[in-house]
Amino acid sequence: MSKSYTDKSLNSPENNSFESIPKPKRPYHRHNDAQKNIPVLSDKIKFRLEQIRFALETEKAQGIYVCYLPNIHYLTNFSGSSAHLFIMQDEIHFITDDRYEEQIKTELYPLPNLHTHITRDLWNYVLESKILQNIDTLAFEADRLSYFEAVETRNRLRPLEFKPTPSLVEPFMQSKSPEEIQNIRKACQISDAVFNQILNIIKPGMSEHDVAVEITYRGRLLGAEDDAFNIIVTSGERGALVHGAPTNKRIRKGDIVLMDYGFKVNGFCSDITRTICVGAKPTKYQQSIYKMLREAEVQAINSILPAVNGKYLDNIARKIIADAGLGDNFKHSLGHGIGLLEHEDPVITFRKDDQILPEDSVVAIEPGVYLPGKFGMRVEDDVHVTANGPEWLTNAPDELIWVE
């Protein structure tokens, strides 16, 4: 399960080009009248809105106020930093400020009966414009709005009922549209390519921080718009820190190095972890642990199908690790969903019974073992949940590579 890695061809100019990775593009069609690019409204987005409206009927509410930006992005394609969304049964009101007045003309999905508004004074505008005049009960994201904001808003909207509905919107965001999956796939391709390049430059004497900087830089060269999260690079005994931030610690000969990173493409994330040995061949004990982790990961991923329970997948991997005598050293859940955020539902964990993986969700599977005073190992891959089984989106080398 280990091999020396000295192929320098991956550091060639060809490997640094954009040729092997398609440039990220949003799906657009041409609007003949306005001659502007408008994003395509897929069936998945329509389905999300249908499900939200059905849920509103169950809650006996005529509309919902959505304030959480990732949910607004999933429903409208808006990528800015300030927006509010009101979804009613027969219309949608999108409100932002004047910074985004031009942006939304070409960025928003062409949703049926969508009305856009520009203001910096949300609730005064809403009341004056009578957007809610036919609403008796307005639901809101109770898990996203602070208690103070909820009480203040309720008082301003009386006699309208401002009804808390936690987690009404998020469940319908888990299943991704084809365009969203393609963005994640491209982000994963960039992650794979960066790992291959890092193998050719990492060596004893580099600091963890040096490696993290190289990961970020090379991701940008390959088309990433941002890191998906704060990069984790740990080496040697620091590998026992599950989420250890990179430091100025120098990588020593024979160190196990763990790298957990991801990139964004059109706002959508990848999340990959690879573990390697630098400067010396890994010991038989290290090789045996890594082989066991890979077995746990592969068996869990091979069991992925739509509607599978996340706890079931966690148990598959956790049993393999526990049978190896290292159950207490696997300190976190097996995985999580990914999308606009690096951590989304469903959560793949032994702690919850209700986390079901829907078709077309994308999940990260990441078993790990952490040995205080020695080293840590984790392997993580991103997987598209399909009716035909798991589609691996990350395909970087996954054996315990050792770099001379």
Side-chain angles (χ1 to χ4, degrees):
M1 291 296 293
S2 66
K3 70 176 183 180
S4 173
Y5 197 93
T6 57
D7 180 9
K8 302 302 179 183
S9 63
L10 289 169
N11 208 32
S12 65
E14 290 79 6
N15 197 59
N16 280 313
S17 72
F18 292 97
E19 294 178 4
S20 59
I21 300 178
K23 292 183 179 179
K25 294 180 180 178
R26 293 183 187 273
Y28 286 115
H29 66 261
R30 180 65 68 179
H31 191 289
N32 291 328
D33 296 332
Q35 292 297 302
K36 293 179 179 179
N37 290 323
I38 305 295
V40 173
L41 178 61
S42 71
D43 290 339
K44 184 73 71 175
I45 311 304
K46 297 176 185 176
F47 181 74
R48 287 174 184 164
L49 290 167
E50 291 170 0
Q51 293 300 300
I52 290 171
R53 283 167 168 153
F54 181 79
L56 287 175
E57 291 182 0
T58 303
E59 294 288 342
K60 295 181 170 50
Q62 295 80 46
I64 184 170
Y65 165 52
V66 181
C67 62
Y68 187 51
L69 280 171
N71 287 341
I72 293 174
H73 189 146
Y74 275 126
L75 293 168
T76 69
N77 199 45
F78 177 69
S79 64
S81 63
S82 177
H84 308 269
L85 193 65
F86 294 86
I87 302 173
M88 288 75 153
Q89 290 297 341
D90 56 356
E91 61 184 7
I92 299 172
H93 292 270
F94 176 92
I95 302 176
T96 187
D97 62 57
D98 48 8
R99 293 173 297 170
Y100 300 107
E101 187 169 5
E102 291 302 312
Q103 178 175 320
I104 64 174
K105 292 178 181 178
T106 57
E107 184 172 71
L108 298 186
Y109 292 132
L111 301 170
N113 296 321
L114 172 66
H115 307 275
T116 60
H117 310 265
I118 304 297
T119 182
R120 290 185 179 239
D121 188 0
L122 174 65
W123 291 111
N124 279 336
Y125 179 88
V126 167
L127 293 171
E128 291 172 2
S129 61
K130 302 187 184 304
I131 288 173
L132 305 177
Q133 65 179 344
N134 297 320
I135 302 294
D136 296 320
T137 301
L138 181 67
F140 71 94
E141 299 171 293
D143 48 341
R144 301 300 179 185
L145 202 64
S146 73
Y147 177 78
F148 174 81
E149 291 173 311
V151 170
E152 185 180 47
T153 303
R154 180 195 63 190
N155 292 336
R156 297 189 69 173
L157 295 180
R158 282 176 174 168
L160 180 151
E161 180 186 0
F162 198 48
K163 183 176 182 178
T165 52
S167 300
L168 186 147
V169 175
E170 276 88 346
F172 311 122
M173 309 301 119
Q174 294 179 24
S175 181
K176 304 299 188 279
S177 72
E179 295 81 13
E180 292 167 348
I181 292 169
Q182 186 61 11
N183 286 328
I184 297 172
R185 181 178 287 111
K186 290 173 182 176
C188 289
Q189 291 171 348
I190 293 172
S191 296
D192 291 344
V194 167
F195 178 68
N196 286 330
Q197 292 183 18
I198 292 296
L199 291 176
N200 283 320
I201 65 170
I202 193 170
K203 60 185 178 182
M206 289 183 71
S207 72
E208 296 167 347
H209 184 263
D210 291 338
V211 177
V213 169
E214 288 287 349
I215 289 172
T216 293
Y217 172 66
R218 290 167 184 271
R220 294 296 198 284
L221 287 181
L222 291 170
E225 65 196 39
D226 200 356
D227 296 328
F229 50 88
N230 292 332
I231 293 171
I232 295 169
V233 178
T234 58
S235 60
E237 64 279 0
R238 293 195 72 254
L241 302 174
V242 177
H243 278 179
T247 68
N248 289 325
K249 176 190 175 296
R250 300 289 172 179
I251 296 171
R252 300 186 301 264
K253 184 176 181 180
D255 270 354
I256 295 292
V257 177
L258 185 154
M259 296 171 283
D260 186 344
Y261 62 94
F263 299 106
K264 287 187 176 183
V265 170
N266 290 331
F268 286 84
C269 300
S270 61
D271 187 358
I272 185 173
T273 304
R274 288 295 184 265
T275 301
I276 65 174
C277 190
V278 176
K281 187 175 181 179
T283 67
K284 290 183 179 180
Y285 178 60
Q286 291 168 339
Q287 293 180 51
S288 68
I289 291 178
Y290 190 85
K291 181 179 179 181
M292 177 271 298
L293 282 178
R294 276 288 295 153
E295 180 185 358
E297 184 201 30
V298 170
Q299 287 203 23
I301 289 177
N302 286 343
S303 301
I304 289 177
L305 281 171
V308 69
N309 192 301
K311 186 173 184 178
Y312 170 73
L313 298 176
D314 186 286
N315 286 342
I316 290 173
R318 199 166 297 277
K319 184 177 187 303
I320 292 172
I321 296 171
D323 288 348
L326 293 167
D328 291 341
N329 301 97
F330 181 21
K331 299 180 179 297
H332 52 77
S333 300
L334 178 65
H336 53 85
I338 58 174
L340 287 171
L341 303 175
E342 75 276 14
H343 282 188
E344 296 185 353
D345 287 342
V347 181
I348 302 167
T349 179
F350 63 95
R351 298 181 177 91
K352 294 185 176 182
D353 299 317
D354 61 348
Q355 299 294 294
I356 307 301
L357 279 63
E359 185 174 1
D360 286 328
S361 59
V362 179
V363 296
I365 302 295
E366 51 175 338
V369 166
Y370 312 92
L371 303 175
K374 296 180 180 178
F375 57 85
M377 290 184 170
R378 181 163 67 246
V379 60
E380 178 180 23
D381 285 287
D382 300 340
V383 180
H384 172 206
V385 181
T386 81
N388 297 319
E391 177 194 2
W392 293 65
L393 299 181
T394 44
N395 293 284
D398 50 27
E399 61 267 44
L400 182 56
I401 291 170
W402 65 280
V403 180
E404 294 180 344

